[in-house]
Amino acid sequence: MARKNPIFFGWFLVGVMVITMTLAYGTRSSFSSFFPYVLDTFHWDRGVTAIMLSLNLLVYGLSAPIAGMLIDRWKPRVVAVIGIFILAFSTAGCYFADQLWQYYLLFGIGVPLGTSFCGSPVFNAVLLNWFYKRRGLAVGLGQIGGGLSMVYIMLIDWVNTHWGWQYSFFVMGGLIIAVMLPLYLIFFYGHPRDKKMQAYGAEESPEALLKIKKAAGPDWTLRRAFKTYQLWLLIFTDFCFWGLGNYLVIAHQIKFAEDAGFTSLQASGIFALFGLISILGQISAFISDSFGREKTATIALVMSIIGLVSLMSVHDTSDMWLLYVYAIFSGFAAGLFSPTVIVSAADLFHGKNIGAISALVLTGVGLGGAIGPWLGGFVYDRTGSYHIAFYISLAAIAFSGVSFWLAAPRNGDKLRAKMLKRYG
């Protein structure tokens, strides 16, 4: 069916995803902002306090495939609305917490459950349904909200300073209900057929699409994907790059900067710059459509290493320029890498189960994230420094590159041929 509207509806979904990522993942990103306040208020060790973020990432990673399976088999809008309410009420509930176990329950379990049901695991799959062509661009643009979630922390930091840090939980929860809920009810359609439309690019060459679909063989199922080493390598890629390579650092970067003598405003400003620059990386993710997924990921990995080495070289306030180098290089790398991995999953595994399979890749983020933030705090508590932890992050980033090249999304056609031979 030809498109009658001048703007393809899928692009509106991309815009909604930007807002969703900003608000939903802003709750997770807010940890770096309220972490120092929690330490000052309750005097808990950094390691045990950081467990709330580790638990958050673990539960997110474990629940993401469940969210993916539900939208493949149920009504995506219902799943997303349930997630919005869980996320909003869990976030607001943190206002009342004054015990570690309460933060573990609300921020560590409730928040990530809600996020996985209304966030990236759901929206990535939906965008892959809506876009046959320009998937890298669509997913990359949608991921802009991940970068804006770090800029959003400037608002949270303002609330922390002027109203009191615990009131920020009410602000975040209220915005989730007031903004996200109506957007989902109006715009969120899980598949083009729900609006009697076709995916972007499919109608331009239906014969070619039919030929590709036939050549691809039967759909990938979770069971079939589980039997491939490519899926496990993609999971390990996210485990290393995000869980150990980035979230270990992100959880502690504001406190690290404050320890070096920078003010809270300066430290949160660097975090915001990280988020802004990551937007440029996410927008640039379209280059993977023509330049290649592996080459694009390699660019991101090299930049990430340069950024982290710069951060490790900061000793006092005279090294402010190194913080900018870190924010620019690591921010761009984080933005570029994430959509490249997501689209690579679609390159390797096609079919109606792509929601569950692409969400399963995010399990690596959760499993690695369960270790990273806690490990950073644990190392600091034992050594009085973050440097050993940061060296672990450097090694993890390098391993993620090796894993991604071995997964070889460039060989998606060969993998489909093997699947056709075995199951066709």
Side-chain angles (χ1 to χ4, degrees):
M1 179 180 294
R3 298 196 303 271
K4 296 180 180 180
N5 295 325
I7 301 177
F8 179 57
F9 187 82
W11 295 117
F12 290 106
L13 285 170
V14 171
V16 174
M17 183 177 180
V18 172
I19 298 172
T20 293
M21 295 282 286
T22 302
L23 297 179
Y25 291 86
T27 303
R28 177 199 293 170
S29 298
S30 71
F31 175 83
S32 293
S33 182
F34 70 73
F35 182 53
Y37 291 96
V38 172
L39 295 176
D40 292 341
T41 301
F42 300 111
H43 306 290
W44 298 323
D45 288 341
R46 296 190 189 191
V48 296
T49 306
I51 286 177
M52 71 175 77
L53 180 59
S54 293
L55 186 59
N56 180 295
L57 292 165
L58 176 62
V59 172
Y60 175 76
L62 294 178
S63 59
I66 298 174
M69 286 187 288
L70 283 176
I71 66 166
D72 285 339
R73 293 166 173 76
W74 202 26
K75 297 180 179 180
R77 182 179 293 175
V78 174
V79 175
V81 169
I82 290 173
I84 288 172
F85 280 107
I86 294 174
L87 175 59
F89 287 112
S90 296
T91 301
C94 289
Y95 170 85
F96 302 99
D98 58 9
Q99 301 291 325
L100 257 178
W101 70 266
Q102 294 168 341
Y103 281 106
Y104 290 166
L105 176 63
L106 293 168
F107 189 84
I109 298 177
V111 167
L113 276 175
T115 303
S116 66
F117 278 66
C118 69
S120 188
V122 170
F123 244 115
N124 286 335
V126 169
L127 289 186
L128 292 174
N129 287 336
W130 275 89
F131 288 86
Y132 169 65
K133 295 179 64 177
R134 298 188 179 179
R135 280 177 165 177
L137 177 61
V139 174
L141 289 174
Q143 293 285 329
I144 285 174
L148 289 176
S149 72
M150 300 178 188
V151 182
Y152 176 65
I153 299 308
M154 295 295 291
L155 170 64
I156 304 306
D157 194 60
W158 185 90
V159 174
N160 291 340
T161 303
H162 292 83
W163 295 359
W165 67 274
Q166 289 163 311
Y167 283 99
S168 63
F169 293 115
F170 275 142
V171 172
M172 289 186 287
L175 286 173
I176 289 167
I177 290 291
V179 178
M180 287 176 56
L181 184 59
L183 285 176
Y184 273 69
L185 293 177
I186 295 171
F187 292 102
F188 193 77
Y189 291 88
H191 200 280
R193 62 172 173 265
D194 296 334
K195 285 186 67 67
K196 299 180 180 179
M197 299 177 67
Q198 289 181 315
Y200 186 90
E203 74 281 10
E204 296 177 9
S205 181
E207 295 83 6
L209 179 60
L210 181 61
K211 181 178 179 181
I212 292 172
K213 188 173 182 180
K214 288 181 178 180
D219 281 342
W220 282 99
T221 63
L222 278 177
R223 178 176 295 182
R224 290 169 182 170
F226 264 124
K227 295 178 181 179
T228 67
Y229 68 85
Q230 287 89 347
L231 175 62
W232 294 104
L233 286 171
L234 288 180
I235 293 173
F236 187 68
T237 296
D238 265 351
F239 175 91
C240 291
F241 183 82
W242 278 110
L244 293 180
N246 276 273
Y247 276 119
L248 185 155
V249 180
I250 289 173
H252 298 276
Q253 62 183 0
I254 289 181
K255 194 61 180 173
F256 172 82
E258 291 179 355
D259 290 344
F262 297 95
T263 66
S264 175
L265 182 61
Q266 289 174 320
S268 59
I270 292 298
F271 195 36
L273 179 61
F274 181 107
L276 283 173
I277 298 299
S278 74
I279 294 172
L280 296 178
Q282 288 152 350
I283 294 174
S284 301
F286 74 91
I287 67 173
S288 71
D289 290 334
S290 55
F291 189 59
R293 313 297 186 203
E294 292 89 346
K295 293 179 181 178
T296 302
T298 301
I299 293 173
L301 294 169
V302 171
M303 295 187 69
S304 185
I305 290 172
I306 293 173
L308 184 50
V309 170
S310 298
L311 181 66
M312 295 171 62
S313 302
V314 173
H315 299 292
D316 52 45
T317 54
S318 66
D319 295 324
M320 183 71 176
W321 68 276
L322 288 171
L323 285 181
Y324 285 114
V325 173
Y326 159 71
I328 292 171
F329 278 79
S330 291
F332 190 90
L336 183 62
F337 192 83
S338 185
T340 301
V341 174
I342 293 169
V343 178
S344 294
D347 291 341
L348 291 167
F349 308 101
H350 69 278
K352 64 182 181 181
N353 295 298
I354 187 59
I357 294 173
S358 62
L360 187 62
V361 174
L362 295 176
T363 302
V365 178
L367 295 176
I371 301 171
W374 164 80
L375 181 60
F378 176 82
V379 169
Y380 182 90
D381 291 335
R382 294 298 182 272
T383 66
S385 171
Y386 285 114
H387 277 77
I388 294 177
F390 289 172
Y391 277 120
I392 294 173
S393 294
L394 279 174
I397 291 170
F399 277 119
S400 71
V402 174
S403 179
F404 189 73
W405 272 92
L406 291 175
R410 66 189 181 279
N411 294 330
D413 289 341
K414 294 181 180 179
L415 184 62
R416 284 192 286 270
K418 290 181 180 179
M419 200 263 283
L420 176 60
K421 184 177 179 180
R422 183 171 183 180
Y423 300 107

